[in-house]
Amino acid sequence: MAEGPYWNEQVETMSAKQTRAMQAEKLRAHLAYVRERSPFYVRKWEQAGFDPETVGGVDDLAHAPFTEKQELRESQVSDPPLGGHAAVAMRDMVRVHSSSGTTGRPSYIGITKADRERWTEVVSRVYYTEGVRRDDVLIHGFGLGFFVGGLPLKDGIENIGATFVPIGTGASERLVTSARHLGGTILTCTPSYANYLAEYIREKFEASPRDLGLRRILLGAEPGGAIPAVRDRIADAYGALVTEALGNADICPVYAATCDELDGNHFVAPDQIVLELIDPESGSLVDWEDGAEGELVATHIERDCVPLVRFRTRDRVVVKTSPCACGRTGARIVCVGRTDDMLIVAGVNVWPSAVSDVISEFHPRLTGSLQVLLEAPPPSVDPPLRIQAEYGPEASDLEALKDEVEGLLRDRLIVSTDVELVPPGTLPRFEMKAQLLRHTYKEEPTTQLAR
Ligand SMILES: [Zn+2]
């Protein structure tokens, strides 16, 4: 049990030189493991002419091909249940999580007992960095079922010794009363939920969110927690310190966190993951230096089940490598957007292509043409997600059809929608790839992140 400023001082304050040496050694061993266990990577590397034996250090990783989310999905379909990249048998997995996929089919992520311990260690570092201590009573406002922001976070928070209160989503009244009865000191949730809850407390309880007496709000699952305006608004409403954690379902639930200096999220898992920065257009490496911007690419160097090599996270980030007063040496990473069209609705990832897949199941009652309407710049969307879909010439009882479509979208994609059915032929048609997103807001010329 840690007492000082770090959960794992050795890893969190390691010099850049030591980190690279450790990563090179682990990377070589792990690539050998992947080649032995993963038919998916054997095939992929052969096709790309990449030989893992030629990898000496982390820089050589650049010769390996990228792994895309879409490939993982295809691999799970052709080689069930977890894909040709699973690397272990089902009997060795102790848990399976799911993340949303680019289509209506969920994407499964398994972990072995050792993987669970690895996650728990990193989650402990993350939340310790965000100030969670043994005396804290932590009210958990992220979804608890299937989602990696549920049980894995519970494991890490309990590992610190804090008291974990599993509220989950969609239970605001229970959240407020439990926080009061149990003396909650910390709340974890998405930025959009923190804002919603503040309003809820004012209206429903005719009280100030400050009356909850929370010391800290730990944000995640949506970008925004690092944007000063977003953070300040929540901090002011609750009278609490606001920080965030970054993660990725396919890599590790959380792997970077804001320290009390509030200047980006320290990467705290260099012993399990190697990060690279690339130009999302050309795929070429971007130098990992202070202020660099690009797409984050992640490689596991310790992972039994579903190990990934050069996985494109599609997170567009800015990295800060200047020294931080807290003493942690891990670069600070701030997510500034996405390099694909994924949306985040109340913390849940939603791809427009997945919406389209669900809509197409209603043919011929729906024509299949649709548009997702965005009232603010993506990726974060306040629920419900607004969708226009065309009904077919033969469709009847549009009210019931609307309910049915919204119901299936909720079941499949865990997203709350408002579907407007419009007459056939009224939505634009596209020769090539359909443009599924329509902006109804004014374009802002500048990035939303103050640097
Ligand atoms: Zn720091």
Side-chain angles (χ1 to χ4, degrees), residues 247-264:
N248 177 295
D250 292 286
I251 298 298
C252 184
V254 283
Y255 50 70
T258 326
C259 70
D260 285 359
E261 301 298 319
L262 304 183
D263 187 24

Side-chain angles (χ1 to χ4, degrees), residues 259 261 266 324-328 332:
C259 70
E261 301 298 319
H266 285 288
C324 181
C326 79
R328 286 180 185 80
R332 278 108 66 216

Side-chain angles (χ1 to χ4, degrees), residues 10 25 61 71 88 95 102 104 117 121 159 180 197 211 217-218 226 242 246 257 306 345 369 374 383-384 423 440:
Q10 201 232 333
E25 197 183 322
L61 200 50
E71 292 177 84
V88 301
R95 198 193 294 159
T102 48
E117 276 156 29
E121 166 64 19
N159 193 38
R180 282 177 168 171
L197 186 70
D211 298 342
I217 313 270
L218 315 182
V242 175
L246 284 186
V306 290
V345 187
S369 287
L374 299 179
T440 61

